[in-house]
Amino acid sequence: ALPSAGVSYTDYYGDDWTCVETIPDTLDCTYDLGLGAGEMAELFIIVDVVGTAGPPYSNTATANADENTTDVSDSVIITPVAAPTPATVTIEKGVSNTNPLTGDTIVYGIILSNVGGSLATNVTLSDLLPSGVTYISTAYDTTLGGTFTDTPPDGNITWTNFDLAAGTSTIIQITATVNAVENTIVNNEACANIGSQPDVCADVNFTVRPPNVELSIDKSVDDENPRVDDTIIYTIVVTNNGIDIAHNVVVNDTLPAGVTYSHPDYSTSAGTFDGTTWDGFDLSPNSSEELNITVSIDPGEEGNLLTNLVETTADENGTVVTDDANLTVYEPVIILSIQKVADQISPAENANITYTIIVNNTGDDNATNISVIDTLPDDVTYVSAGGNGWICSDNGTIDCTYPVSYT
């Protein structure tokens, strides 16, 4: 007699056996041949386990023969367990940067999982990379076997005929370069299946963002009131206040008329300066570079205002950013006075007299190359002229110069 619950009779098999289900759960079987001494006859009864997992089910079989009318019996107990769930794959997809720049390297991550209770066989994964990225490489678990193919530069990736154990996951990482232009939305989908089962898919988007580069520039001079022939130093500091790298920074500095630059009289923390253009460097976020330019003040610039304008750009910062530095060349304060006296007020005819000329500077600065012109009266004849530091000549008028500074 089969258990009254938990199983359902399906069929039987066994050589020379004939079985009939007389009433539900009871099977009468007859062995059509005699059973010799020491012989055995096997009968197999097939049932479906329809009961819930957990409780035991007892099945007792009873046998007799014409020569052995006393029943003999034996029993077996089965305890059903939960049937394993079928293999079921799930897929997740992400990207390392959802707002990259054009030219950035990104990594797509795929997590493929078998959430079922059975081994997933003949698994297939496919990922056709979209336009807007250029394929570089893929990392995956080669121990799972199967066949992996990719087709650079498009990166049409397939991985076929591999197995995934129940309750496990595997990670696939696809590296690519972003070549889409800013403000482009790029979508990428990956799909997987087991054998002929329907695909399961997951996708991810990223949006190419504009670069964030904010250049600022500062120009200063170490002396805002220099004198003619003085040496001064202009200092330029360019800064990137953004969050991205500023590539190919260019600073243009056309030095003003009134100063002289002798190349290569400069120093810089990066790049090179040719007398007008400072370039050859990038600027990381929140970093600065400095240029110092040494020039001299030209003669004749006393009292002049000299303005030096500087401007900068970068690949990501096309708007020109400017600053300037002003200086006023010092104008010397010189106040000359002159006094002339004669050693005789009423000289005799043919007598020698001496004129004494005194030049005074009551200003704040030294006077250089002082010149005195003295036109003698008609009734005197020039004899000689001189004085400490003075050089004089008679050119119809007496011309005297004092070539050194005079305070």
Side-chain angles (χ1 to χ4, degrees):
L2 297 174
S4 59
V7 298
S8 174
Y9 170 69
T10 299
D11 201 357
Y12 77 94
Y13 68 92
D15 294 341
D16 301 316
W17 284 95
T18 301
C19 294
V20 177
E21 187 178 14
T22 56
I23 58 175
D25 304 323
T26 300
L27 196 65
D28 288 338
C29 298
T30 302
Y31 187 62
D32 299 330
L33 302 177
L35 192 62
E39 292 181 345
M40 177 181 66
E42 290 183 318
L43 171 64
F44 300 91
I45 300 172
I46 303 170
V47 297
D48 288 332
V49 178
V50 296
T52 58
Y57 299 102
S58 177
N59 175 216
T60 301
T62 302
N64 59 48
D66 291 347
E67 297 81 9
N68 194 143
T69 57
T70 302
D71 290 342
V72 294
S73 63
D74 195 14
S75 299
V76 64
I77 296 175
I78 63 171
T79 303
V81 297
T85 57
T88 303
V89 294
T90 62
I91 190 169
E92 301 172 69
K93 183 154 193 177
V95 66
S96 60
N97 188 348
T98 57
N99 290 112
L101 295 170
T102 301
D104 278 357
T105 297
I106 60 169
V107 178
Y108 286 114
I110 302 171
I111 301 176
L112 185 64
S113 303
N114 178 5
V115 297
S118 305
L119 175 70
T121 60
N122 195 25
V123 180
T124 296
L125 171 73
S126 63
D127 190 329
L128 308 182
L129 291 183
S131 60
V133 300
T134 298
Y135 174 71
I136 297 177
S137 63
T138 300
Y140 67 102
D141 187 355
T142 57
T143 64
L144 295 179
T147 301
F148 180 85
T149 58
D150 59 0
T151 56
D154 297 330
N156 294 329
I157 297 163
T158 57
W159 186 13
T160 61
N161 299 320
F162 65 96
D163 298 339
L164 193 60
T168 65
S169 300
T170 188
I171 297 175
I172 302 93
Q173 293 180 315
I174 304 169
T175 303
T177 300
V178 177
N179 55 37
V181 299
E182 60 187 62
N183 298 317
T184 301
I185 299 174
V186 179
N187 177 265
N188 179 217
E189 182 180 64
C191 295
N193 63 50
I194 305 172
S196 59
Q197 291 185 10
D199 286 349
V200 291
C201 300
D203 66 352
V204 67
N205 295 326
F206 68 77
T207 302
V208 183
R209 66 177 176 84
N212 184 324
V213 170
E214 298 179 13
L215 293 184
S216 64
I217 193 165
D218 178 75
K219 181 153 193 179
S220 60
V221 63
D222 66 340
D223 187 350
E224 295 182 347
N225 195 212
R227 297 172 181 266
V228 166
D229 295 328
D230 278 357
T231 296
I232 62 171
I233 298 175
Y234 286 115
T235 297
I236 303 170
V237 178
V238 60
T239 302
N240 177 12
N241 301 298
I243 63 173
D244 297 314
I245 297 174
H247 293 94
N248 298 318
V249 178
V250 176
V251 176
N252 289 313
D253 185 1
T254 301
L255 294 171
V259 302
T260 297
Y261 168 74
S262 297
H263 190 71
D265 203 355
Y266 74 92
S267 64
T268 181
S269 58
T272 58
F273 179 64
D274 64 4
T276 301
T277 301
W278 175 29
D279 59 9
F281 64 97
D282 301 332
L283 267 178
S284 299
N286 298 311
S287 68
S288 300
E289 300 293 352
E290 181 174 304
L291 170 66
N292 295 294
I293 308 169
T294 302
V295 300
S296 60
I297 303 298
D298 294 342
E301 294 296 328
E302 294 89 342
N304 289 341
L305 173 66
L306 305 183
T307 298
N308 183 200
L309 180 68
V310 64
E311 58 186 33
T312 185
T313 60
D315 287 351
E316 299 82 2
N317 196 132
T319 302
V320 176
V321 181
T322 65
D323 193 28
D324 60 24
N326 296 317
L327 64 86
T328 301
V329 181
Y330 182 80
E331 187 171 12
V333 179
I334 297 172
I335 303 173
L336 295 182
S337 64
I338 192 167
Q339 179 183 7
K340 185 173 183 177
V341 296
D343 64 343
Q344 300 178 56
I345 299 301
S346 301
E349 187 177 352
N350 294 321
N352 285 337
I353 62 173
T354 300
Y355 290 112
T356 298
I357 300 172
I358 301 171
V359 179
N360 288 310
N361 177 11
T362 58
D364 297 330
D365 299 290
N366 292 344
T368 59
N369 295 321
I370 300 170
S371 176
V372 173
I373 300 174
D374 189 346
T375 303
L376 296 175
D378 293 337
D379 294 332
V380 299
T381 300
Y382 171 74
V383 177
S384 65
N388 185 21
W390 287 92
I391 301 171
C392 297
S393 63
D394 180 11
N395 299 309
T397 60
I398 309 304
D399 296 334
C400 296
T401 58
Y402 191 81
V404 296
S405 296
Y406 184 76
T407 305

